[in-house]
Amino acid sequence: MRLDDVRFRQTWLDFLRHPASQEVRNELGLSFGMRCLTWIVLMIAAPFLIITIRGAREGFRALWSVISFEPFRDNSDSIEHNPDAFQPVIAHGIIIGPDRKHGLALSTMKPSSEYSLDRVALIATQLGKLYSQGSNDPRDAEIYALLRDDNYRPYRRRKIPASHDAGMELLLLDVEIDLAQCRQSLLGTMLFAMALKKGDGGATMQLPWAVAESAVTL
């Protein structure tokens, strides 16, 4: 498998400009509706915090946010204003939950020139077997514990231990998925196109496979 990073980035940016991306943009940033909701919550919470001793400082901060309409002025988390804060990636499914809507996937934010998609797929397959079959090898204890902590948590990402990372800075991603928007690799793993907030944490969301299709050679 090969991934053309330049092409993937371009199709991602083109997708963001299309009306069909509205749901993704709402999830990855603060939509107008979410800004309104934030402003209303702050307006309700501020008086209650102010009358308490411990919460007075936070109450006055919340009140200032309401008066200054801060939720409507802060565009730092808006994908429309800062698309470079997000990165499109290819993730490989490790396990799919019984509801068929959530799962655990493996990915990296490194440039594709610095890792092998096939190698990531192979590791994802090995981790899937480790999850289901277990291991008596002490070297597998840390990664096995991470895999078995399998309750879905939105936006959770965890670094793979160095013993299983293969130098690719691999991440375990809790993902919400639509299997109709997945593809199967020749190695048998399910492939997802995802958008991740850059950094150690933040929003994660599946993209339509069409965003990645022209950039991925299976």
Side-chain angles (χ1 to χ4, degrees), residues 199-213:
D200 293 331
T204 302
M205 189 174 186
Q206 185 183 14
L207 304 173
W209 182 256
V211 177
E213 191 161 23

Side-chain angles (χ1 to χ4, degrees), residues 134-152:
S135 171
N136 294 321
D137 190 332
R139 293 172 297 182
D140 293 331
E142 184 178 3
I143 185 63
Y144 182 69
L146 291 177
L147 294 172
R148 297 305 303 186
D149 181 9
D150 57 2
N151 289 327
Y152 172 75

Side-chain angles (χ1 to χ4, degrees), residues 38 66-67 80 85 120 161 196:
T38 301
V66 171
I67 295 172
E80 290 94 338
V120 179
L196 273 63

Side-chain angles (χ1 to χ4, degrees), residues 9 14 25 32 58 66 69 85 88-89 92 94-95 103 107 117 121 124 128 132 145 152 155 167 172 174 181 210:
R9 183 72 184 173
D14 290 343
R25 285 185 278 122
F32 180 77
E58 294 300 322
V66 171
F69 292 93
V89 302
H92 303 251
I94 298 173
I95 56 174
S107 189
L117 276 177
S132 60
Y152 172 75
Y155 302 163
L172 287 176
D174 285 27
Q181 294 296 331

Side-chain angles (χ1 to χ4, degrees), residues 27-28 86 154-157 173-174 195-205:
E27 180 74 16
L28 296 180
F86 298 84
Y155 302 163
R156 181 170 63 161
R157 65 179 74 165
L173 306 174
D174 285 27
L196 273 63
K197 183 74 175 290
K198 292 180 180 178
D200 293 331
T204 302
M205 189 174 186

Side-chain angles (χ1 to χ4, degrees), residues 121-140:
L122 180 60
I123 293 175
T125 300
Q126 293 170 342
L127 294 180
K129 291 180 179 179
L130 178 61
Y131 173 86
S132 60
Q133 300 175 7
S135 171
N136 294 321
D137 190 332
R139 293 172 297 182
D140 293 331

